[in-house]
Amino acid sequence: MLASEKKIVLVVDDNFINRQMLCKILADEYFTIQAGNGREALSILHEFGERVSAVLLDVVMPVMGGYEFLEARKNDPLISGIPVIVTTQAESDETEIKALTKGATDFLSKPYNPMIIRQRLANMIAFKETSSFVNSVEHDSLTGAYSKEAFYARTKEYITQHPDKQLDMVVSDLIDFKIVNDMFGEGTGDDLLVHWRKVLDQTIGKNGIIGRISGDVFAVLMPRVKNYSMDFFDECIEQLNDFEVQVSLNVCFGIYQIDDIDLAPSVMCDRAILAIKSIKDKTREVYAFYDERLKEELWHTQQLITDMHDALSGGQFKVYLQAKCDLDTECIIGAEALIRWIHPEKGFMSPAEFIPIFEKNGFITNVDMYVCDTVCALLRKWIDEGTPLIPISINISRTDIYNPNLKDDILECVKKYDVPVKYLHLEITETAYTENPKQLIDTVVSLRNEGFHIEMDDFGSGYSSLNMLSEVPVDTLKLDMGFLKHQTDNGHDGNILNFVINLAKWLDLSVVAEGIEFKEQLNFLRSLGCAYGQGYYFSKPIPIEEFNELRRNNENNEKKTAFSLKQYSNIKMSEIWNATSDFSRVFNEYVGSLAIMQYEKDVVTVLRANDSFKKLFSEGIRNRLSVINIMDYVSPGDKLFLNEHILNCTENNATFDFPLHCSYEGEEDGKYSRVLRIRGKAIGSDDEKIILMIDMEDITVSSNNEKELIAENVMLEFALSGKEVHYINYDTEKDVCTFDNNVAEFLSLPNSSIPHFSEDFNDILRLNDEDKARCEELVKDAREGKTVPPMSFNIDVGGQSVSVEVGAYSFKDNARNIIRTVFVAKKSE
Amino acid sequence: MDTTIMIERLKEFDGIDYAVVVERFCGDEELLATCIEQFTEDTGFGELENALENKDMSAAFEAAHTLKGVSTNLGLTKLYCALCALVEELRGGKGENADKLFLSVKDKLNELKSIVFQ
């Protein structure tokens, strides 16, 4: 065919004159072929393949332009190895960058300089020939991106040739790559990498050079982007997720804005990777920049990691204790053990500085166990000294949750010092739940089965708090007062706190409020019924010796008066009537229901009430609040009780706190019946009158629901507790029981129903008198829709006495109407 | 037209950097003359004119851009300068003064034609 000694060069230009000139210039040394556009060029290249030594390519051409040609060539392994020189008009660097990034080997500008053209072409062909044997590793065989070494070489080459260009090194890391590999196999993982490379090619890497640095890490050298934003990355993240797997795919980008062109490209990539590491754990962050601070941080982290083992064995870690106090008495009722690192050079280090690092590298487990050991040793010491024991909580890091030996390690520690398990409380964090709920539940259940008391730290800081409470069996909730800090102005925070505290009561959990710094917070928490607290107001975390001292002093303190409003005990009476006083401000804005009342000869009148207090009452009463006698509404039994308490509290500065049953029946109000928790104390008195501060809370609903809830729980447990549980439908209106054949057989009955049940039940069951009376009661309650916990009866079955347990349960709709009533029965075991 | 006459005329024409461009053609004066003759009849000029008439600025830009590249290769300095001004005017799809600048291009082209080829 083209039997020629000369090497073949393909000239691609739509302009005939340009082609002729180039051919003329090259005629002595090369055999030239011409193409008028990119498409012609491609078909010629496909015919001749790598026998074409080089291509001279114009950019702007009809049918298929230069860039398109380069794009097509890049993805075509048959011809991608043929070097291409782009001819441009040298008017913008952009054109050149674009050409180079699209895979052009070099560029030449117009007007042509024959010497330069011939020289460059000769160099390039020579280079290509000598390097062709390494060409196979130039590109990563899987994704077609530059291999690491080639990428570094290209980067170096490009930066050297364009020292004035502002460039960025952007490195991407597919966070979920390992998951995809594990879940769907390496084949899918490989497909993902190929997909991702294509996405990069079409998005952020469009004008860049792309290399695969390792596994799932790709680097892109690209022109400087002035303002990076989420928008910049949105498109490629979206396209990444076009990959068909059943998980959502996330990616992180690290950006090193090249400011030192003398750095080795590998170092540039390392810097970008460092930026990725700074955000890899933050699920919401997609990109981060490298800056000097990161370098320092890394150095600092390395330093800490180097020092940590010596620090632990060398006693640099100290266990500090922070008191937990009873909010009413301010007595110390427990402590939380916290780790402190006193570094010989750096001094006192903040836990925030080293704990995240230890959590990452797993060293936290060693630290937590060290704390556990120290705390158990302290408890032993207290036992030996005869010091009363108080529980001490230790923190269980979220990484400990994954430690399969956690339980055994703690138990071993407890055994070593022979201390009662219940005095070692374990604090776990909510975040562990979001990460791996099942693991957390399993761990907590197994620890609790060993008798450990579990505290949920930082409750409310996460997103799944309420879900979690129903699934993780904890004993105590720790609330951070940070809750309160955000919106102290509008009172919403108070409502949240109130809600959580009530929720905790409902679930029978104790609540410890953390971060109490001021007396106001303490008072507020007391008024919400929060029992325990921790914070600088009581004590900061202190060394064990100091803590022992603190306890001794605390015990010497007289027990302080228990009342939520005692801060007002020093207020002057004039303040109460002054609408602009501090007292009035607090009083009016207080979230709970407060009233100042006057007691005089068995008559209690309201002098002042805040809005919340007024809302406790129906409209009819509310409007007359200032003129009515509260005693008129109190049930007769409670009337005496209230009288007694009021008189008592003037004598020894006591307080009272009990449920007050109120009822009233009037034309305007209808039947009115409430249970109010009343708490109060005297704030002033003279010979005839006593002025009282009263705090009320409507507990009507909760006291009703509580009973029902307990009964329902018992029933539920009963229903689920054994195999042979039978359900007997009871139509309360028609008074008919219906059941399945099993029950009929058990009772030796021909039919599966009993009409007139409330009257005739004993014809079938033949109960003794005592049981008969109880059964009547059961049926009566069931007809009223009450839940009746299971009770035992002896019934007669075919002449034999059989012991059974029977309870009743009613399903109700939202309006509490009975939908269906069932008896749940089973043989006693 | 006889190429030797064309070559003589080109040598005297002040719109061309003759010495440089001959070197670019590796001393092949005949080829140079032929190329310049072809260039004066380049369809690109017609395409440029049409595009401007149709207000298709991007097509006009492409045509002007190509012509500019060729004119610089041929060392036709005057024509090249006129095309440069037009290309810059058309860059980015603008071109309020494009018609005026195109007249100048036509002017230079006609000058070349009349002096060298008639």
Side-chain angles (χ1 to χ4, degrees), chain A residues 60, chain B residues 47-48 51-52 54-65 90-94:
Chain A
V60 183
Chain B
E47 285 159 19
L48 174 59
L52 285 172
N54 299 330
K55 302 280 174 223
D56 183 347
M57 292 308 168
S58 80
F61 173 79
E62 266 183 40
H65 190 260
L90 291 166
R91 194 184 290 282
K94 288 178 298 185

Side-chain angles (χ1 to χ4, degrees), chain A residues 288-336:
Chain A
F289 292 94
Y290 168 84
D291 58 28
E292 286 299 310
R293 190 179 45 78
L294 274 180
K295 198 166 81 182
E296 274 164 32
E297 257 174 39
L298 182 77
W299 186 81
H300 185 68
T301 304
Q302 287 306 332
Q303 200 63 23
L304 292 187
I305 291 169
T306 317
D307 294 348
M308 66 189 186
H309 290 284
D310 289 345
L312 192 59
S313 53
Q316 291 173 28
F317 286 106
K318 302 281 181 205
V319 172
Y320 275 41
L321 295 176
Q322 185 171 32
K324 291 177 186 168
C325 294
D326 183 308
L327 293 186
D328 283 340
T329 62
E330 296 189 23
C331 282
I332 298 173
I333 49 90
E336 177 180 1

Side-chain angles (χ1 to χ4, degrees), chain A residues 645-717:
Chain A
H645 273 295
I646 292 174
L647 292 170
N648 189 37
C649 73
T650 53
E651 277 164 30
N652 47 16
N653 203 21
T655 63
F656 53 87
D657 179 351
F658 60 93
L660 190 69
H661 295 80
C662 300
S663 61
Y664 177 71
E665 213 160 335
E667 278 172 29
E668 299 156 68
D669 302 309
K671 192 161 189 274
Y672 183 86
S673 173
R674 286 259 159 294
V675 185
L676 299 172
R677 177 181 180 184
I678 181 166
R679 294 184 292 179
K681 74 171 288 182
I683 54 171
S685 62
D686 55 26
D687 293 342
E688 289 164 359
K689 287 177 285 195
I690 302 169
I691 306 294
L692 296 151
M693 173 75 82
I694 301 288
D695 168 289
M696 278 190 180
E697 183 190 354
D698 193 334
I699 56 170
T700 318
V701 178
S702 59
S703 58
N704 284 346
N705 285 357
E706 234 152 26
K707 269 184 223 155
E708 199 161 329
L709 191 76
I710 291 165
E712 281 177 10
N713 275 343
V714 172
M715 278 307 292
L716 200 64
E717 218 175 284

Side-chain angles (χ1 to χ4, degrees), chain A residues 20-21 24 89 91 111-112, chain B residues 24 28 38 65 68 73:
Chain A
Q20 271 188 307
M21 283 175 70
K24 178 76 199 170
Q89 298 196 26
E91 51 204 357
Y112 304 141
Chain B
R24 189 169 300 142
D28 192 337
Q38 282 167 344
H65 190 260
K68 179 186 135 194
N73 267 336

Side-chain angles (χ1 to χ4, degrees), chain A residues 324-597:
Chain A
K324 291 177 186 168
C325 294
D326 183 308
L327 293 186
D328 283 340
T329 62
E330 296 189 23
C331 282
I332 298 173
I333 49 90
E336 177 180 1
L338 295 156
I339 193 71
R340 292 292 181 262
W341 184 354
I342 299 155
H343 194 280
E345 287 147 38
K346 298 188 175 82
F348 195 95
M349 296 218 300
S350 157
E353 218 173 317
F354 61 85
I355 285 180
I357 296 168
F358 292 175
E359 277 182 342
K360 257 186 224 168
N361 66 19
F363 190 66
I364 193 71
T365 305
N366 303 27
V367 174
D368 286 347
M369 286 320 296
Y370 170 76
V371 175
C372 183
D373 190 88
T374 311
V375 165
C376 288
L378 176 64
L379 288 169
R380 179 75 251 161
K381 186 162 165 272
W382 283 349
I383 294 170
D384 294 344
E385 290 170 354
T387 308
L389 286 189
I390 53 171
I392 303 177
S393 58
I394 62 170
N395 285 283
I396 300 298
S397 153
R398 58 201 171 102
T399 34
D400 292 338
I401 300 292
Y402 301 96
N403 173 8
N405 300 324
L406 176 71
K407 188 177 80 180
D408 293 341
D409 288 351
I410 298 175
L411 279 175
E412 197 180 305
C413 200
V414 167
K415 277 196 196 112
K416 178 174 154 195
Y417 293 99
D418 191 21
V419 294
V421 168
K422 64 174 179 173
Y423 287 103
L424 188 67
H425 288 192
L426 306 177
E427 294 195 12
I428 53 169
T429 56
E430 194 177 48
T431 38
Y433 178 78
T434 25
E435 281 164 16
N436 190 339
K438 186 168 184 308
Q439 181 79 39
L440 180 75
I441 294 165
D442 292 351
T443 306
V444 168
V445 167
S446 83
L447 287 168
R448 232 167 152 254
N449 287 344
E450 295 296 336
F452 289 105
H453 182 107
I454 310 292
E455 304 190 1
M456 177 60 65
D457 207 359
D458 284 338
F459 180 75
S461 60
Y463 296 92
S464 52
S465 323
L466 296 181
N467 285 340
M468 182 187 55
L469 277 186
S470 59
E471 293 192 313
V472 187
V474 300
D475 302 285
T476 297
L477 295 183
K478 294 191 81 179
L479 295 179
D480 199 314
M481 288 297 284
F483 248 140
L484 269 181
K485 275 179 191 152
H486 300 303
Q487 304 166 301
T488 28
D489 295 336
N490 55 22
H492 285 160
D493 44 357
N495 290 337
I496 296 171
L497 213 55
N498 200 1
F499 170 72
V500 175
I501 289 167
N502 283 329
L503 185 76
K505 283 181 194 158
W506 186 262
L507 295 167
D508 203 20
L509 305 175
S510 65
V511 174
V512 177
E514 283 184 286
I516 302 177
E517 291 178 34
F518 309 107
K519 188 146 196 172
E520 290 71 27
Q521 291 173 316
L522 168 68
N523 291 328
F524 182 64
L525 285 162
R526 276 177 181 162
S527 71
L528 294 177
C530 178
Y532 308 109
Q534 179 183 341
Y536 276 42
Y537 173 77
F538 303 108
S539 165
K540 62 180 184 182
I542 46 177
I544 291 172
E545 270 321 300
E546 281 180 44
F547 183 80
N548 286 331
E549 186 65 29
L550 182 75
R551 273 192 78 189
R552 280 190 286 275
N553 293 338
N554 186 262
E555 277 158 28
N556 294 339
N557 277 355
E558 262 183 60
K559 283 208 168 187
K560 294 178 185 169
T561 336
F563 183 63
S564 63
L565 302 169
K566 80 176 176 173
Q567 79 269 26
Y568 298 128
S569 57
N570 296 328
I571 49 165
K572 295 174 186 139
M573 290 306 275
S574 61
E575 283 225 335
I576 294 174
W577 314 120
N578 179 352
T580 60
S581 68
D582 283 349
F583 169 83
S584 293
R585 198 171 47 76
V586 174
F587 181 86
N588 290 334
E589 288 174 11
Y590 184 68
V591 183
S593 308
L594 283 186
I596 308 287
M597 296 190 190

Side-chain angles (χ1 to χ4, degrees), chain B residues 14-86:
Chain B
D14 69 346
I16 188 168
D17 196 347
Y18 194 77
V20 174
V21 87
V22 166
E23 204 178 313
R24 189 169 300 142
F25 277 80
C26 308
D28 192 337
E29 291 178 274
E30 281 187 33
L31 179 61
L32 168 62
T34 316
C35 280
I36 291 178
E37 188 180 20
Q38 282 167 344
F39 183 56
T40 57
E41 286 147 24
D42 199 306
T43 52
F45 289 105
E47 285 159 19
L48 174 59
E49 189 161 17
N50 282 338
L52 285 172
E53 271 170 26
N54 299 330
K55 302 280 174 223
D56 183 347
M57 292 308 168
S58 80
F61 173 79
E62 266 183 40
H65 190 260
T66 304
L67 292 170
K68 179 186 135 194
V70 183
S71 65
T72 183
N73 267 336
L74 293 174
L76 296 166
T77 44
K78 281 188 183 173
L79 187 55
Y80 170 71
C81 287
L83 280 161
C84 276
L86 180 60

Side-chain angles (χ1 to χ4, degrees), chain A residues 151-170:
Chain A
F151 176 75
Y152 291 160
R154 276 296 155 98
T155 301
K156 189 82 208 158
E157 196 176 285
Y158 189 81
I159 291 175
T160 319
Q161 280 169 9
H162 306 89
D164 303 329
K165 295 224 160 70
Q166 290 200 304
L167 298 162
D168 291 345
M169 181 64 78
V170 178

